[in-house]
Amino acid sequence: MTAQSCPRQHCATTMDSAALEPSLYTVKAVFILDNDGNRLLSKYYDPELYPSMKEQKNFENNVFNKTHKADNEIAFLEGMTIVYKSSIDLFFYVVGSPQENELMLMAVLNCLFESLSQMLRKNVEKRTLLDNLDGVFLVVDEIIDGGVILESDPQQVIEKVNYRADDSPLSEQSVAQVLQSAKEQIKWSILK
């Protein structure tokens, strides 16, 4: 029997090839947990994967419980490929589909970790991460957009994040300095 004479076989062949079609949407989720398994940052790029906060936290708990004592870099859980790395009191995770190339996911993970290491001046720990959370989100957004890998070179990511930070008028001045400057401008405009 050929695929044309057996519709079920043709459908199965079509579905199998569709499931293995290459896609730019490589990353399903990125999250950072502390050494107790608490979420510090998470971004889920597939709305159908874990649509509710409860499902996301359950998944993160399962992943943490499986990986926090393991000495591996790759895990397979709930039909997902997960690459991870730990540093002092943090765990970094990048999640992809089951057929995803682990090397691509690992490149994203390494870029994330190295970019944060440069941004946080090699002090990659919970306190400094939380103190710089806005920059951490910028780093993640420079690496991944909607599940698509944009950048895997940490140096390029840091340059882009620094450029964005320099665009902000508050990057080199504190809020108090900006307010003081505004007061002085108002005062001079009144005196004129």
Side-chain angles (χ1 to χ4, degrees):
M1 251 183 166
T2 65
Q4 290 178 345
S5 64
C6 179
R8 285 188 185 181
Q9 186 179 8
H10 177 68
C11 286
T13 306
T14 307
M15 286 174 42
D16 288 344
S17 65
L20 297 176
E21 284 289 318
S23 172
L24 291 175
Y25 299 95
T26 305
V27 179
K28 301 293 182 190
V30 171
F31 51 92
I32 301 173
L33 306 178
D34 67 9
N35 58 352
D36 295 323
N38 299 315
R39 175 193 285 189
L40 302 177
L41 173 143
S42 74
K43 287 195 104 169
Y44 284 79
Y45 300 104
D46 186 350
E48 296 172 9
L49 183 61
Y50 297 103
S52 73
M53 180 75 72
K54 184 179 179 182
E55 290 174 313
Q56 291 175 6
K57 289 208 173 197
N58 269 347
F59 175 67
E60 291 166 14
N61 268 345
N62 290 341
V63 169
F64 180 75
N65 289 335
K66 182 172 181 173
T67 61
H68 79 282
K69 291 184 181 176
D71 194 26
N72 303 323
E73 295 178 334
I74 300 172
F76 299 96
L77 185 68
E78 298 182 22
M80 305 309 286
T81 303
I82 304 158
V83 295
Y84 61 96
K85 175 181 255 183
S86 65
S87 171
I88 304 174
D89 56 355
L90 298 173
F91 288 85
F92 299 83
Y93 297 92
V94 176
V95 180
S97 62
Q99 70 271 8
E100 198 54 62
N101 184 333
E102 294 91 358
L103 294 176
M104 291 291 290
L105 297 175
M106 191 57 79
V108 171
L109 178 65
N110 288 334
C111 181
L112 173 64
F113 185 81
E114 292 301 320
S115 298
L116 292 178
S117 181
Q118 286 181 35
M119 185 182 84
L120 301 174
R121 293 178 175 81
K122 306 281 186 212
N123 194 16
V124 184
E125 61 182 6
K126 181 178 177 178
R127 179 134 180 109
T128 54
L129 184 110
L130 290 174
D131 289 344
N132 297 283
L133 203 53
D134 55 342
V136 176
F137 274 105
L138 284 175
V139 165
V140 171
D141 289 343
E142 284 298 332
I143 298 170
I144 307 159
D145 183 24
V148 177
I149 300 171
L150 299 177
E151 187 62 67
S152 61
D153 179 10
Q155 198 59 44
Q156 291 294 318
V157 171
I158 290 299
E159 285 178 21
K160 290 177 184 175
V161 169
N162 285 339
Y163 177 74
R164 273 195 189 171
D166 291 343
D167 280 349
S168 168
L170 300 179
S171 65
E172 295 184 16
Q173 297 179 331
S174 70
V175 173
Q177 289 171 323
V178 171
L179 291 175
Q180 182 64 33
S181 174
K183 280 183 187 177
E184 289 175 13
Q185 288 177 353
I186 292 171
K187 186 171 135 181
W188 282 108
S189 65
I190 293 173
L191 293 175
K192 288 183 180 178

